[in-house]
Amino acid sequence: MAATSLLPKSISHFPANPSSLPSTTTTTTTSKLSFLNQPHDQPQCCTKRTNLQTVHLKKKNPWLDPFDDGPDPDMEYGTLFTDGKQDEDPRPPGNPDNPYGFLKFPKAFNVEIAGLALKVRGDVRRCCCMVSGGVYENLLFFPTIQLIKDRYPGVQVDVVASPRGKQTYEMNKNVRWADAYDLDDDFPEPRVYTDFIGILKGRYYDMVLSTKLAGIGHASFIFMTSAEQKASYVYPNVNSAGAGLFLSETFTAETTNLSDGGYHMYNQMVDWLGKPFRSVPRQPLPPLKYSLSRKIKEVVEAKYRNAGAERGKYVVIHGIESDSQASMQSRGDTDSLLPLHVWAKIVKGIRDLTPVFVIPHERERENVEEIVGYDVGIVFITTPAQLAALINDSAGLIATNTAAIPLATAREKPSIGLFCSEEKAKIFVPDAEEKRCTIIASKTGKLIDIDVEAVKNAIRFVNVSLALV
């Protein structure tokens, strides 16, 4: 009998509920987590909370952990890191006498120990945003970055974008670092690929967001950053197979081209980022805003003065047909450039203002002078920040569906948008009247067939409005 009593009691393999374990195991676990609970002499005001991972996931992926049966129904949180938003952490100042800096650890980062608030409240101290596309797509991501800053106070936001898209973040003060890496390259060089993974992994990100449609290749790239939360758009077809194994949250795009969504192309990610959580209400999406440095304004002012224009007395013309990558088109609207002979007819309706053509390449200067004439201004601009400064000092804008339209509407500049169809106009410029944007759409579905007389009438209306102002 003595030998029999020493044998361990038999327990079932893989218990379905953690509460089904023996009482000794439950007591030990509770004692280890006693600092999360209220003292017994205080009133119990805590409510049962769901697990953070369960809140973030729309539907549990059984392949992530086959032995995970969900949150513990007996788990109760105390008052530590449970409600409200995160706080901005103080950081000791840098030592100017030390060439290596002083305590160059990121904010809220403790060596080898993850922050408790990261697990309990879902704090995000460092966030990396991988934005696919060019200038237009990165510009429309600005409100999402501002939402992240508002939702997680003190967060440091870094961006990974294409070399052309990286130029956009010259106008965004919320971004700490912007790295140039071509996310749309399906076959990157191995040395560049592995080196960039090491860079991202060494920054200890808490959250990684990606707007590139992910398959198993891009999902594994995000997984190797070792971030706690990994969210990305995935393909709406079979190409997304296996991507969910490496991601914490997935957003299925409606089409294989995310830019088809226009101004609200990131609505699924925005809805997930701004969702209510415990006592934190839903975070609204702020409008598009950007900032311009004094140096950029001075450089652009010198350019348009050399072209014969004065501040507030010229109209920006953007969207001439060219094969340059600096045209700042959207991937969701490839028919968004007009040939110069059409622009020559449009600018004849401008009175009392100087038309200033924005050329993406110097070789277009001779074409503008030959077709349009020598009495117009010509400015060579390739960066979105300089284009924004040019629009900011102008009286208005006439452009096709390029990055110039959101740049003008963000500063409430009167603008005329030329689109190939009404559907494209509604998608890319919602609430156009409130944004002081007059929409002129082609009736045939092709931009080249746009009604020039309708554009001239809109120009006369804008001229009257400016005169009244």
Side-chain angles (χ1 to χ4, degrees):
M1 293 297 293
T4 306
S5 61
L6 295 177
L7 294 176
K9 295 181 180 181
S10 61
I11 59 175
S12 60
H13 300 285
F14 311 116
N17 194 334
S19 61
S20 63
L21 294 175
S23 59
T24 57
T25 307
T26 306
T27 305
T28 306
T29 307
T30 306
S31 63
K32 293 180 180 179
L33 301 176
S34 59
F35 64 94
L36 291 176
N37 299 328
Q38 293 279 358
H40 295 288
D41 55 347
Q42 296 183 1
Q44 297 293 332
C45 60
C46 302
T47 58
K48 295 182 179 180
R49 305 291 188 181
T50 55
N51 194 359
L52 179 64
Q53 183 180 4
T54 307
V55 174
H56 287 330
L57 292 178
K58 297 189 292 284
K59 183 178 179 181
K60 178 176 168 52
N61 191 343
W63 292 99
L64 295 179
D65 188 356
F67 304 109
D68 183 12
D69 294 309
D72 187 356
D74 299 327
M75 183 63 182
E76 293 184 357
Y77 288 100
T79 59
L80 190 63
F81 302 129
T82 55
D83 294 326
K85 294 183 179 180
Q86 65 188 36
D87 301 324
E88 295 190 21
D89 295 324
R91 180 173 180 175
N95 186 1
D97 299 329
N98 188 350
Y100 302 101
F102 178 70
L103 292 179
K104 288 297 184 182
F105 296 110
K107 292 182 179 180
F109 176 74
N110 193 5
V111 183
E112 298 181 1
I113 301 177
L116 181 63
L118 174 65
K119 295 290 185 181
V120 178
R121 191 171 54 192
D123 286 7
V124 177
R125 299 297 177 183
R126 294 159 305 278
C127 177
C128 178
C129 302
M130 301 180 181
V131 185
S132 174
V135 171
Y136 207 123
E137 287 75 16
N138 283 268
L139 183 65
L140 295 183
F141 197 74
F142 277 23
T144 307
I145 295 176
Q146 184 62 51
L147 185 146
I148 296 172
K149 296 288 288 187
D150 296 339
R151 176 60 181 84
Y152 303 101
V155 65
Q156 294 178 336
V157 180
D158 300 339
V159 171
V160 177
S162 63
R164 180 64 64 179
K166 177 186 174 181
Q167 298 176 346
T168 313
Y169 298 97
E170 189 178 10
M171 303 182 291
N172 197 321
K173 293 183 179 180
N174 292 325
V175 175
R176 179 181 60 162
W177 295 328
D179 297 297
Y181 181 81
D182 192 1
L183 296 169
D184 300 314
D185 187 4
D186 295 330
F187 301 99
E189 295 186 15
R191 61 177 183 84
V192 178
Y193 183 85
T194 54
D195 178 66
F196 203 72
I197 289 177
I199 292 175
L200 298 180
K201 190 177 180 65
R203 293 178 180 173
Y204 302 97
Y205 289 117
D206 298 326
M207 177 188 290
V208 174
L209 306 174
S210 176
T211 65
K212 173 181 167 59
L213 301 188
I216 192 171
H218 185 60
S220 60
F221 176 79
I222 299 174
F223 178 80
M224 285 186 284
T225 61
S226 301
E228 178 70 18
Q229 302 179 40
K230 301 171 285 289
S232 175
Y233 280 89
V234 296
Y235 283 98
N237 49 31
V238 72
N239 291 329
S240 65
L245 302 177
F246 301 96
L247 300 172
S248 305
E249 181 72 14
T250 58
F251 316 107
T252 303
E254 297 180 358
T255 62
T256 55
N257 185 7
L258 189 63
S259 300
D260 291 337
Y263 186 83
H264 298 293
M265 57 188 293
Y266 306 117
N267 58 349
Q268 297 183 47
M269 180 177 289
V270 167
D271 184 70
W272 178 74
L273 289 171
K275 65 184 180 300
F277 181 71
R278 293 177 183 165
S279 63
V280 180
R282 173 169 291 278
Q283 190 71 40
L285 182 67
L288 172 62
K289 293 183 179 180
Y290 58 87
S291 58
L292 297 172
S293 65
R294 183 183 301 176
K295 184 177 180 180
I296 292 178
K297 292 181 179 179
E298 293 175 353
V299 171
V300 173
E301 184 177 0
K303 285 188 175 183
Y304 68 71
R305 286 190 181 277
N306 292 335
E310 298 181 8
R311 177 180 295 181
K313 297 182 180 180
Y314 65 90
V315 178
V316 179
I317 307 296
H318 193 266
I320 66 173
E321 189 175 24
S322 176
D323 58 354
S324 174
Q325 295 183 356
S327 298
M328 305 184 194
Q329 293 177 270
S330 171
R331 293 183 175 182
D333 188 6
T334 55
D335 186 13
S336 59
L337 297 177
L338 276 176
L340 281 173
H341 67 84
V342 179
W343 282 116
K345 299 177 182 178
I346 293 175
V347 296
K348 291 181 180 179
I350 300 177
R351 299 289 184 271
D352 303 327
L353 295 173
T354 303
V356 175
F357 279 80
V358 178
I359 57 174
H361 199 279
E362 277 291 348
R363 65 171 175 266
E364 302 292 342
R365 185 181 297 272
E366 296 181 359
N367 298 332
V368 174
E369 293 175 349
E370 180 181 354
I371 299 176
V372 181
Y374 292 90
D375 55 346
V376 298
I378 302 175
V379 177
F380 171 54
I381 285 180
T382 59
T383 64
Q386 293 188 14
L387 177 61
L390 183 68
I391 295 173
N392 187 57
D393 289 349
S394 68
L397 168 74
I398 305 175
T400 57
N401 188 17
T402 62
I405 294 292
L407 289 174
T409 55
R411 292 295 176 100
E412 296 183 354
K413 285 287 182 179
S415 57
I416 299 176
L418 313 181
F419 289 83
C420 61
S421 64
E422 290 283 352
E423 292 74 14
K424 290 291 184 181
K426 293 179 181 179
I427 291 174
F428 283 90
V429 190
D431 303 326
E433 295 182 0
E434 298 178 2
K435 299 177 180 179
R436 303 181 65 185
C437 181
T438 304
I439 300 298
I440 306 296
S442 175
K443 297 180 180 179
T444 63
K446 295 181 179 180
L447 184 62
I448 195 172
D449 298 331
I450 197 166
D451 189 0
V452 177
E453 293 300 325
V455 180
K456 290 182 178 180
N457 294 333
I459 293 174
R460 296 190 190 100
F461 176 76
V462 172
N463 289 341
V464 172
S465 301
L466 291 175
L468 292 175
V469 172

